[in-house]
Amino acid sequence: MFGAHTPPRTPFGQSLMAGRLAVVALGLLVALPAAAQPKRDPDWPCVQPRTATISLAAVWTGPDLASAGPWTDDQDAATLAHKLASRRTTLSEVGPLLDGFVKEAGPEAKTRLLHVFAGVFEIINTERSQIMDGITRYAKGQQRLADRLRDESDQLSAAKDSPEAKETPETKALEEKLAWDTRIFDERAHSLKYVCESPVILEQRVFEISREIQARL
């Protein structure tokens, strides 16, 4: 991703401070006060707590979904469920799509709407779990990069604090590497803030679809 660019050159010691700030930034990103989050997953970098799945009770107050039978046995309902679960389908399209489905389903509409929501719920929950696993892997990569930044900062600090401190080819190379790694760290941290919004967006989506379906039962 970054290989085509030339690492920035910075004054001796400036990269050292940047590296230390990046390491501190990771700590702020992945940790909350212990009193506020006593059982926080250390590998979970997002502000919102990690929950394995969306709770059905939190988004659905309609009839028991299991009473309608397997949603996968209803091909048309399954097709619609996949379409509604996809974020390519805007929420403004959900109502008209459901209205068309209800019209076609006729007397079986209520039962088949349960199939639709059961499918939406399962599909979105699966996608959300995959995204959350990806976020965890991403955060672990950031932690490894933070450890490397810390090591590079310590090496530069030792060189800078030595009695005969001066810029040498070795310290210059290390300084440029630290500046480059810090830049990558910062860009990844910035991206992570947006990635962390994805599980919340999916939760909101399944709630809105649930509301639309229950309005037609």
Side-chain angles (χ1 to χ4, degrees):
M1 177 177 179
F2 301 103
H5 302 285
T6 301
R9 303 172 78 90
T10 57
F12 185 59
Q14 185 175 329
S15 327
L16 174 61
M17 179 60 69
R20 287 173 172 169
L21 289 174
V23 173
V24 171
L26 178 68
L28 293 175
L29 186 66
V30 302
L32 288 179
Q37 197 69 21
K39 296 183 180 179
R40 188 171 183 82
D41 183 346
D43 294 327
W44 181 246
C46 304
V47 173
Q48 69 273 21
R50 175 169 188 164
T51 52
T53 60
I54 301 171
S55 168
L56 179 61
V59 297
W60 180 258
T61 57
D64 179 16
L65 297 178
S67 66
W71 66 273
T72 50
D73 290 348
D74 186 338
Q75 186 58 54
D76 289 339
T79 298
L80 180 56
H82 280 282
K83 188 174 184 64
L84 297 182
S86 171
R87 281 179 281 179
R88 289 192 296 269
T89 302
T90 65
L91 289 175
S92 63
E93 296 177 273
V94 171
L97 286 169
L98 287 171
D99 288 338
F101 180 80
V102 168
K103 184 177 179 180
E104 291 292 328
E108 299 179 348
K110 290 187 176 181
T111 297
R112 299 186 69 192
L113 282 172
L114 297 184
H115 291 160
V116 173
F117 184 70
V120 167
F121 185 74
E122 183 174 327
I123 293 164
I124 289 182
N125 245 331
T126 299
E127 180 184 357
R128 179 177 173 276
S129 294
Q130 292 170 346
I131 289 173
M132 293 177 74
D133 288 344
I135 291 173
T136 298
R137 291 192 298 271
Y138 196 97
K140 288 180 178 179
Q142 279 292 82
Q143 184 59 64
R144 289 191 295 270
L145 183 53
D147 292 340
R148 191 163 77 213
L149 285 170
R150 188 178 296 108
D151 290 342
E152 292 167 1
S153 296
D154 289 345
Q155 292 177 50
L156 266 182
S157 180
K160 183 175 180 292
D161 295 340
S162 66
E164 59 280 354
K166 62 179 180 178
E167 189 173 54
T168 65
E170 291 75 17
T171 58
K172 188 175 181 180
L174 183 56
E175 180 185 1
E176 291 184 349
K177 187 174 188 305
L178 176 58
W180 186 241
D181 286 345
T182 299
R183 176 181 172 181
I184 294 174
F185 180 95
D186 289 344
E187 291 185 0
R188 284 173 56 90
H190 182 72
S191 298
L192 187 58
K193 294 177 183 178
Y194 294 98
V195 173
C196 280
E197 294 176 2
S198 295
V200 177
I201 291 172
L202 289 174
E203 291 164 18
Q204 293 170 343
R205 183 175 188 85
V206 76
F207 176 79
E208 289 300 325
I209 294 172
S210 167
R211 189 173 62 83
E212 291 284 354
I213 290 176
Q214 288 182 90
R216 290 163 174 79
L217 289 176

